[in-house]
Amino acid sequence: VQLQASGGGLVQPGGSLRLSCATSGFTLGYYAVAWFRRAPGKEREGVSCLNTIENSTYYADSVKGRFTISRNNAKNTVYLQMNSLKPEDTAVYYCAISLSTVVEWFQSYEYGYWGRGTQVTVSS
C-alpha cells in the first residue's frame, strides 16, 4: 500500500492550494482518510478527516470554512482544497488512512498508513 501527497508550494496569504493524496494498494477500501500537518516547532495536528462509509467530514476549528476534503474514487485520490490561506497554515501536510473504525478523528494513532509530507508555505 502506498500514499503519496503532492501539491504543496509557496503561496501568498489569502491564496489557495489544492493538495492531492494518491493512494494505491487499498483493494478493499478503507474506513477513513485524513490530513494532518506539522508546523515548525509544533506538534502534529489533525486538519480534516473523511469517513468513507458515511461520507461525513470533519474539520479542525482553525480551518473550518476554508478547507475542504474530498475524494475521487476513480482516481484513487484524496484532495484537500485550501482557500484563504494564512501564514499560520504553513506546515508539512500529510495524508493518512485507517482501515478500521476511527473514534478519535484527529488523533494520529488512529491511522496506520501515512504518506510522505508536502510542504505548504504561506508568506508574502
Side-chain angles (χ1 to χ4, degrees):
V1 296
Q2 189 173 12
L3 294 82
Q4 181 62 54
S6 62
L10 173 64
V11 63
Q12 292 187 342
S16 298
L17 280 176
R18 188 178 77 162
L19 305 184
S20 299
C21 177
T23 68
S24 61
F26 296 95
T27 56
L28 299 180
Y30 47 86
Y31 182 86
V33 59
W35 287 94
F36 285 77
R37 67 185 181 187
R38 176 172 281 165
K42 294 187 176 181
E43 296 290 322
R44 181 168 53 188
E45 64 171 342
V47 175
S48 181
C49 313
L50 171 65
N51 178 331
T52 66
I53 306 302
E54 299 179 1
N55 202 31
S56 53
T57 56
Y58 305 87
Y59 296 94
D61 288 343
S62 58
V63 307
K64 202 170 293 184
R66 300 188 298 121
F67 290 11
T68 303
I69 188 171
S70 63
R71 184 173 72 151
N72 184 321
N73 292 334
K75 295 184 177 181
N76 294 319
T77 301
V78 179
Y79 302 100
L80 184 69
Q81 178 67 43
M82 306 186 296
N83 299 328
S84 303
L85 283 162
K86 305 175 181 180
E88 51 263 43
D89 295 319
T90 295
V92 178
Y93 284 70
Y94 303 87
C95 55
I97 278 178
S98 173
L99 299 182
S100 57
T101 302
V102 171
V103 177
E104 299 289 343
W105 290 99
F106 293 128
Q107 293 296 328
S108 56
Y109 62 74
E110 293 275 18
Y111 300 87
Y113 298 90
W114 292 79
R116 292 185 178 181
T118 184
Q119 175 71 47
V120 172
T121 302
V122 185
S123 175
S124 55

